[in-house]
Structure formats: C-alpha cells, structure tokens
Amino acid sequence: MSTGSPKGAIKDRPWMFRTYAGHSNAADSNRLYRTNLAKGQTGLSVAFDLPTQTGYDPDHQLSRGEVGKVGVPVSHLGDMRTLFAEIPLERMNTSMTINATAPWLLALYVAAADEQGADRSLLTGTTQNDLIKEYLSRGTYVFPPAPSMRLTTDVISWTYTNMPKWNPMNVCSYHLQEAGATPVQELSFALATAIAILDNVKASGVISEADFPRLVGRISFFVNAGMRFITEMCKMRAFTELWDEICRERYGVEDERFRRFRYGVQVNSLGLTEQQPENNVYRILTEMLAVVLSKNARARAVQLPAWNEALGLPRPFDQQWSLRMQQIMAYETDLLEYADIFDGSKEIEAKVEELKAQAREELARVEEMGGAVAAVESSYMKQKLVESNSKRLSGIESGDQIVVGVNKWTETEPSPLASDEDGGILTVPEHVEEEAINRMQEWRTQRDDNAVQTALQTLRAAASSNTNIMEASIAAAKAGVTTGEWGSALRDVFGEYRAPTGVGKATQDDNGDLSEVQNSVANLSEKLGRRLKFLVGKPGLDGHSNGAEQIAVRARDCGMEVVYEGIRLTPAQIVNAALEEGVHVVGLSILSGSHLALVHDVLDKMKEEGLEEVPLILGGIIPTEDAEALKKAGVAAVYTPKDFHLTDIMSDIIRIVDERAKELV
C-alpha cells in the first residue's frame, strides 16, 4: 500500500509552530523557550507581563500583584539579555505581543541582538504594535491616538530601513473577536485599522512613493478563529481577497507578492470553558482547521492555547500538547500535499462573497466617520463590540447557542487532568514580584546615572520633535534605562489616555423578561431610600474589560445605577470612587491572576474609609482555593466563567445588598 504523496505533488512547507509563552521572570521563561524549541517549536511568541506592556517598572503602585502573572517582566536590557540567552536571534523568528511600548521592547531586542553580534538586517519577527484594537478590547494602551500612531509610524519606517525582514506592524483582529466581534466586524475593523496606519505612514512622507508598495508587503495580521468552522474559514478567504483589493485599488500595489495577506493566528480563547475543560482540546483542534485547511488562506504561523487556559496558566506539558496537535496535522496528514480543496465550492464562494459585501458596507461606515481613529474616539467601534458580546452571551444564557458542558450535557465525571496537586495549572509564586523589585534596584545601582539621564533627555527631545523615536530608544536601552523610565518620559511628552467604555451607549440584546429582577431592584431601592448603586471596578493593569462591561450593561438594564470608569485603576481610586459615589456594592473584575494582592488592598482601604458595610464581590479567573480564602477575608461572593447567567448574578447581588442592609438595621 502506497503512503507517499500524489504523483508529481510538491509538498508545501508547514506553517510556523509557536506557543504564546512567558511567566515569572526572564530566566524561567528562557528555559521554557529553549525547551519548547527542542520539542520542535519553530518560532517564539513572547508574552510580556502587564507592567511591561503598559510601561511600568515592577515597583510602581499599579504593578502591585501583576508582576510575572500573564507574561514575563522585562524591565531593562539585562532582562532582555537573560530572556534570549543561548538563543541566536539572527536565526530566530520572534513574535512580541507588545503594543504601547512596542518601540521600547523592540529597542531592547535590537540592543540584545547587537550584543550577540547579530546582523540587524537578518533579524526576523513581528511586533504586534496595533494600538487601535487596544482601545477597543485589550486595554494595554498608554498614549492618546495621535502620538500612538506616530510611534507606530516610527517603528515602521525605522525597521523598513534597518530591519527589512521584520514585520513592524501586526494588525490584530484576534482580540476583537475575544471582545465579541462578529466575523464581519473582525474583517472590517481590522482592515480599517490597517488602512488608518498605512494612510498615516503615506501622509507622513517617511517612505518614498517608490518604496511604499514594498512597505505594504511588510504589514502582517494576527487573527482569531472560532468554533463556527465554515464561517471562520470563509472569513479567512474573505480577508485575503479584500486585502488584495485594498492594496491594489487604494495603494496601487502592482506586485502580487506585496498584496498577500500574511497572517498568524491564535485560535479562540473566549470559547474555552472552565466546565469540563478537557472538551477544550476538541475546540482548539476544530478552530485550527479553519486556518490551515484552505491553502489559499493558510496561516503563516499558528499558536494554540492550552486546554486549561480557562482555569489559569498552562504548564509545560499543556503547551506541549498543543504543539503536538500542530505537528500531527502538518506531518502525519496529507494536508500539505494538495492545492486548495475548497476552490470551486459554490457554498464556500457564496459565503465568502456575503462576508465581503457586509465588510465593505461596514468599512464604508467607518470611512464616513473619518476612519478607524475617529470611530474609536466616538466610541462607535467599542459600542458595537459590547453589543455583539451581549448578544453572544444572551444566546448562551438562553440555550440558543449550545456550549457542551456549560448549558447542555453538564453531567460529568471528575477530570483526572485537573486533579493533580497543582490543580492542573501553573501558579506564579507571590515572591516573584519581590524578587523582580530587588533585581530592579540592583540594576539601578550598577548603571551610570549620568548616561541614563542623558539618554532620557535625548529620548524626550526626540518625542517632542519629529525625530524618529527608535535610535533614541536603542541608546536608552544600552545606557540602562528601565521600562518604567522610558514609559514615564513619553507620558511626560504625550500624556495618558482613557478610551471610551462603550457601556453607556450599548443597547441590550434582550434575553427574555427582566421584569422580575427589575422589580426586585425597585423594591430594594425603595428600602434603601434611593436607587441601588453598583460600582464596577477594574483594579491593576488588567485591560480585558469584556466581563466588566457586560456586568455593567446588565446591571444598568436591571435598573441599577452603575458607576464604571473603565480600566487600570488603583485600589485607592476604586475605594475613593465608592466613598464619593455612595455605592451600595462594589464589584471587581480581575483576570490577570493578581486577585489575591489587589482584593486584599481594596478590602483594607475600604476598612480605612469606614466602608466595611459595603459588600465587595469579585469576578474573574479565580481558582477555587483562592475563592475560599478571599471569602474568609471578607469578600461576599466570587463569580468565575462558569457563572454565565448574568441575570442570576444580578439577583444574587440584590440578595447580598438586601441582607447587608438588614444587618445594619
């Protein structure tokens, strides 16, 4: 029996295998990278912690509880040097998920490569560097839109000249889908972002007309693939065709090579479930098929989440399992031996054309508003994402959208995968933060302070003028400047920004009758002497606000008065708002693993301000043992992804406030 390739077939090269990884500290993350590369991973995808992504050092008050939790802390050149020790950067393809601080992390990367003796022109990789989606979904923005676009342009123009193999701009629709985007919204909002960036670069004049088509060819995308397999695969084909159309018609790119839709993918994490988490293996595989089966729209790089990411950080074995999934698909099947198996399908062609037509309509609406930046500043895009996410959640609540193990077939045997002593996840020890602060202090004592101040002065001068920020950033990296110092210098020049929340204008997708809970709110409000007031707070640096937004919208629609001021607040700011607003209940949303430190800080400050009688509730990815410890400390209730009935949560909040009010009578 023959097992070879079809006669005359030329086997395609597989896509790049990646895992999104980084935690605790640079040394531990470096060991993880080298281990994964030895297992057959072919590229790196670096996860940075939230202080690094938002331009703070580990000892800043907003870094409290966040250091090393969702990625690796990189505070200076010493950390970057350690992170890539024994990894030859000249021969490595490195993707860095970094946005507001992209120029700085790229500067540190270049400085580390210089120390290795690497040829900058041979460095390959990607900086995500998409600030528009940060305003909409992920929340690691720092600066207002105008200076953010300027920094992106600086990175694009500098890498074009100095690192021609680098992808300086990675338009990221992945997080749009995580925020609830429909396929049409993912297509249109991502393409509108790419247009805004390329229009800005073109208008700046930093790239000549002759070089502009080649620059367009360096723009890459990072997308998402969900469970609706046919729709997601058609979305990818629509992306490739629409991008080709935009490059040809808007920018006059004649060379087909520069019009290719070059994208990497991480499949959907939003749909991974805490309940029966072993089912996530099948979800991840199905989602991967959408981005590898169609040759004409196949991903250039794929990174898969682990089965247990709805529970917490994956362990090395869990990441290995996802890597093996890719390798089996690429090397054990005959997938790479054939042309596109969907060409000629009437069903596929019809769906692709439908998606393209709807995306063109949405693109036209955004264009009429003045483009993607204007659509962010007006809160239009954010409002639409909040509404789409509300509709998705309503479908799950009602049972119209079946999620196996969540709202149907919920009976289950205990999972042996999650029964180990570690609870089936990787836990970052609390001492990681203290050690990072100690390393930071030691770094500061060993550097030349005069050189640091000179470098910072040069950096501020570059930011204040039209000088490209990259050379000053690289010089600052080599002088020993820290991430927080770089961020502070640019905050001084550009200021900070708070994006619209989209909550106030979002309309509810009504999931049945809310009259019963609305009556309960009205009755309790009458007892309290004024309308029930609920503060929803996002402490720390966690910018994933989708859950908080949906809680705020549902509470508003149930008749509560809602106070929601967006992301990135200190415990002191949240408690001060609770005091000034006279709220009846405080709800915190934390998904970054920093809940223990931040919740205790909020509880302590509420006690100091005489707010012990105000119940505090918590939502997020909270392990069971942590939830029990927090309840003993005074938290009234803890909600995790398994608590998906938002109206039931509202009823529970009413009960908690009512009971607390009775205790005070």
Side-chain angles (χ1 to χ4, degrees):
M1 180 177 67
S2 173
T3 58
S5 302
K7 186 175 180 180
I10 299 176
K11 194 167 185 176
D12 286 348
R13 293 173 58 189
W15 54 92
M16 188 172 298
F17 306 146
R18 285 187 170 132
T19 56
Y20 182 53
H23 67 88
S24 300
N25 57 57
D28 288 348
S29 297
N30 171 261
R31 281 190 289 272
L32 178 62
Y33 296 162
R34 289 188 286 113
T35 299
N36 286 346
L37 290 169
K39 291 176 179 176
Q41 186 173 306
T42 52
L44 294 177
S45 181
V46 181
F48 296 98
D49 73 352
L50 290 174
T52 304
Q53 293 185 51
T54 50
Y56 293 109
D57 286 334
D59 55 356
H60 192 279
Q61 62 173 341
L62 275 170
S63 300
R64 167 90 165 131
E66 306 280 16
V67 177
K69 288 289 170 60
V70 300
V72 57
V74 174
S75 303
H76 46 71
L77 179 56
D79 286 339
M80 189 66 85
R81 185 187 298 143
T82 301
L83 187 64
F84 292 107
E86 300 181 48
I87 299 175
L89 297 183
E90 195 174 277
R91 301 200 301 272
M92 181 51 56
N93 190 300
T94 306
S95 173
M96 295 194 289
T97 301
I98 201 76
N99 292 280
T101 54
W104 175 242
L105 270 295
L106 182 59
L108 289 172
Y109 188 84
V110 171
D114 286 351
E115 288 186 347
Q116 290 187 2
D119 182 343
R120 291 182 182 179
S121 67
L122 299 180
L123 296 176
T124 59
T126 303
T127 32
Q128 194 169 100
N129 207 13
D130 176 358
L131 268 300
I132 290 177
K133 71 94 174 48
E134 293 299 313
Y135 301 132
L136 297 175
S137 57
R138 193 163 164 267
T140 63
Y141 58 82
V142 176
F143 313 114
S148 293
M149 292 289 278
R150 175 262 173 99
L151 292 175
T152 298
T153 299
D154 281 358
V155 170
I156 290 173
S157 62
W158 187 86
T159 54
Y160 182 80
T161 302
N162 295 278
M163 296 167 62
K165 293 188 175 183
W166 192 267
N167 300 321
M169 178 63 214
N170 190 232
V171 180
C172 182
S173 71
Y174 172 84
H175 294 98
L176 300 180
Q177 187 176 130
E178 295 292 292
T182 65
V184 170
Q185 288 170 339
E186 191 178 344
L187 281 164
S188 55
F189 290 0
L191 293 172
T193 296
I195 288 170
I197 289 159
L198 285 176
D199 283 358
N200 192 70
V201 173
K202 194 174 183 66
S204 73
V206 295
I207 301 294
S208 70
E209 286 287 333
D211 285 344
F212 196 76
R214 186 176 293 274
L215 180 277
V216 172
R218 297 315 305 168
I219 302 300
S220 64
F221 291 76
F222 189 70
V223 306
N224 204 328
M227 281 298 293
R228 292 178 57 80
F229 163 74
I230 299 298
T231 299
E232 293 293 332
M233 189 269 293
C234 290
K235 179 190 73 181
M236 297 320 309
R237 290 171 71 97
F239 253 135
T240 63
E241 294 176 22
L242 285 169
W243 183 240
D244 183 85
E245 183 179 297
I246 289 167
C247 291
R248 188 178 61 253
E249 296 180 3
R250 190 181 187 98
Y251 300 114
V253 180
E254 296 181 1
D255 192 325
E256 183 272 337
R257 294 174 302 165
F258 302 148
R259 301 198 306 266
R260 288 174 187 161
F261 185 77
R262 301 162 56 250
Y263 79 99
V265 64
Q266 171 156 325
V267 304
N268 187 283
S269 294
L270 182 67
L272 302 183
T273 65
E274 179 184 4
Q275 304 94 314
Q276 301 182 25
E278 61 277 3
N279 296 339
N280 293 330
V281 174
Y282 311 122
R283 295 185 175 106
I284 293 165
L285 174 59
T286 301
E287 291 165 347
M288 179 179 72
L289 293 176
V291 297
V292 298
L293 281 186
S294 178
K295 180 179 179 179
N296 293 342
R298 183 171 292 149
R300 296 288 187 93
V302 176
Q303 59 190 47
L304 303 179
W307 68 277
N308 55 351
E309 288 195 19
L311 306 178
L313 285 175
R315 300 158 301 187
F317 169 80
D318 308 314
Q319 289 196 326
Q320 174 185 299
W321 200 357
S322 290
L323 173 62
R324 294 292 183 251
M325 192 183 295
Q326 294 200 56
Q327 292 168 324
I328 289 168
M329 179 61 64
Y331 295 118
E332 293 193 23
T333 76
D334 57 356
L335 172 67
L336 299 178
E337 299 172 7
Y338 293 90
D340 198 302
I341 60 176
F342 296 102
D343 282 354
S345 166
K346 293 182 179 178
E347 289 289 338
I348 298 301
E349 288 177 3
K351 184 63 178 177
V352 170
E353 289 304 316
E354 176 190 353
L355 289 170
K356 286 166 59 179
Q358 293 174 351
R360 288 190 191 101
E361 290 178 6
E362 188 62 59
L363 273 168
R365 273 191 288 272
V366 172
E367 189 88 9
E368 287 173 6
M369 294 176 192
V373 172
V376 167
E377 293 176 325
S378 69
S379 85
Y380 170 77
M381 282 184 172
K382 184 65 172 178
Q383 171 195 334
K384 291 301 179 184
L385 293 179
V386 172
E387 290 175 358
S388 297
N389 205 16
S390 176
K391 184 175 182 179
R392 181 189 69 84
L393 289 171
S394 293
I396 295 172
E397 287 182 282
S398 67
D400 291 340
Q401 180 176 332
I402 293 174
V403 182
V404 175
V406 173
N407 60 7
K408 197 171 183 64
W409 302 297
T410 56
E411 304 81 7
T412 182
E413 298 295 327
S415 171
L417 295 173
S419 61
D420 292 340
E421 291 182 3
D422 58 11
I425 58 173
L426 175 68
T427 302
V428 176
E430 293 303 313
H431 61 73
V432 161
E433 184 169 318
E434 181 181 355
E435 291 172 354
I437 292 172
N438 291 338
R439 284 194 302 273
M440 168 67 64
Q441 292 171 344
E442 183 180 357
W443 174 265
R444 287 173 179 152
T445 63
Q446 294 177 350
R447 62 189 187 175
D448 183 338
D449 286 337
N450 289 331
V452 168
Q453 294 307 316
T454 299
L456 287 171
Q457 185 176 355
T458 303
L459 180 67
R460 289 190 188 93
S464 300
S465 65
N466 291 324
T467 305
N468 191 295
I469 206 75
M470 284 304 301
E471 289 295 351
S473 295
I474 294 171
K478 293 182 176 181
V481 167
T482 68
T483 296
E485 290 165 341
W486 184 90
S488 179
L490 267 62
R491 282 179 171 90
D492 290 344
V493 176
F494 298 141
E496 289 199 68
Y497 184 68
R498 295 196 70 78
T501 67
V503 168
K505 296 181 180 179
T507 59
Q508 178 203 352
D509 182 73
D510 192 8
N511 179 39
D513 189 4
L514 293 178
S515 60
E516 185 176 342
V517 70
Q518 287 169 342
N519 288 336
S520 297
V521 170
N523 292 336
L524 180 55
S525 297
E526 188 175 346
K527 289 182 188 178
L528 296 170
R530 57 190 174 91
R531 191 144 64 105
L532 174 58
K533 201 168 191 178
F534 179 22
L535 186 152
V536 179
K538 288 285 296 177
L541 297 174
D542 169 30
H544 289 85
S545 58
N546 308 329
E549 290 157 1
Q550 293 305 314
I551 288 289
V553 169
R554 187 62 59 88
R556 179 202 67 189
D557 293 338
C558 288
M560 300 182 199
E561 184 176 352
V562 178
V563 179
Y564 176 59
E565 297 177 346
I567 63 171
R568 213 177 302 162
L569 300 170
T570 65
Q573 288 172 321
I574 289 172
V575 174
N576 185 61
L579 186 66
E580 290 186 350
E581 295 282 352
V583 301
H584 299 104
V585 58
V586 174
L588 304 181
S589 171
I590 305 172
L591 290 91
S592 63
S594 59
H595 45 271
L596 289 175
L598 292 176
V599 171
H600 281 294
D601 284 355
V602 172
L603 284 170
D604 290 344
K605 286 178 170 54
M606 289 179 72
K607 187 174 182 180
E608 291 172 9
E609 296 294 343
L611 297 177
E612 303 101 309
E613 77 281 0
V614 177
L616 178 71
I617 63 174
L618 173 66
I621 300 176
I622 317 294
T624 302
E625 58 273 21
D626 289 356
E628 292 305 316
L630 290 169
K631 287 177 182 177
K632 289 179 182 178
V635 173
V638 176
Y639 305 99
T640 68
K642 69 177 182 298
D643 303 299
F644 63 92
H645 284 289
L646 299 187
T647 304
D648 289 350
I649 293 176
M650 297 302 115
S651 297
D652 208 30
I653 292 171
I654 294 166
R655 176 190 58 78
I656 290 168
V657 175
D658 194 14
E659 289 178 355
R660 187 65 60 91
K662 289 175 182 176
E663 291 173 5
L664 296 174
V665 174

